[in-house]
Amino acid sequence: MEKREEERTQKKGTSSGGVLSVLMGTAIGLLLLLLFALLSAALIWGGLVPEEITHLLLTVAAGLCPFVAGRVAIQKGSGGPPMAIGGGIGLLLCGILVSICWGTTGAEGFHGPFVGILLMTMAGGCLAGLLGRKTKRKKKKR
């Protein structure tokens, strides 16, 4: 009887840990996405990269950022299922990108490359969740 109560309290604690992991991962992903956007803008402004591949750079960055942020949040977070954490990070980053696009360009901004960026953002977060947590190795006693 006491074991069941302990398991229930442990399960209740993981939901808040999962939310905190998602928020931490979203903050990391947003920071990485802004840094990659700044880097691609600097490369284009410097003439090192042609303007025609701007959407490709941003699509790759949009897939990489939630993946890296999801892996960090899953490994360093305090609990929760990995797929929910990775999917939540991808979903929140998609929501942030949609709100920025809607606020700056309105409905005209939702075209093919932007939809690809949103799909890559969601796929990056889900891929991080699919990979799961690393298994902890037990130390051998001598």
Side-chain angles (χ1 to χ4, degrees):
M1 189 116 182
E2 292 176 12
K3 270 188 171 180
R4 289 185 183 175
E5 289 179 21
E6 289 178 15
E7 289 175 6
R8 288 180 190 164
T9 56
Q10 287 177 353
K11 287 182 181 177
K12 287 181 183 176
T14 58
S15 64
S16 64
V19 171
L20 291 176
S21 296
V22 169
L23 291 176
M24 176 183 71
T26 303
I28 293 169
L30 189 60
L31 180 67
L32 286 174
L33 194 59
L34 289 173
L35 287 175
F36 273 120
L38 181 65
L39 177 67
S40 65
L43 288 174
I44 291 169
W45 188 53
L48 298 172
V49 175
E51 289 182 28
E52 292 81 29
I53 64 167
T54 304
H55 61 88
L56 181 65
L57 286 174
L58 292 178
T59 304
V60 170
L64 189 64
C65 292
F67 176 74
V68 171
R71 296 299 299 156
V72 169
I74 289 168
Q75 297 300 326
K76 303 289 183 186
S78 58
M83 188 62 191
I85 293 172
I89 291 170
L91 187 67
L92 279 176
L93 284 175
C94 281
I96 291 170
L97 289 175
V98 165
S99 64
I100 289 171
C101 182
W102 187 268
T104 56
T105 62
E108 298 167 359
F110 296 97
H111 49 79
F114 183 69
V115 173
I117 288 172
L118 290 179
L119 289 175
M120 281 295 289
T121 303
M122 197 66 207
C126 289
L127 183 62
L130 282 175
L131 292 178
R133 289 186 176 86
K134 291 181 185 175
T135 57
K136 295 182 180 178
R137 295 183 181 177
K138 295 182 181 178
K139 294 182 180 180
K140 294 181 182 179
K141 293 182 181 178
R142 293 183 183 191

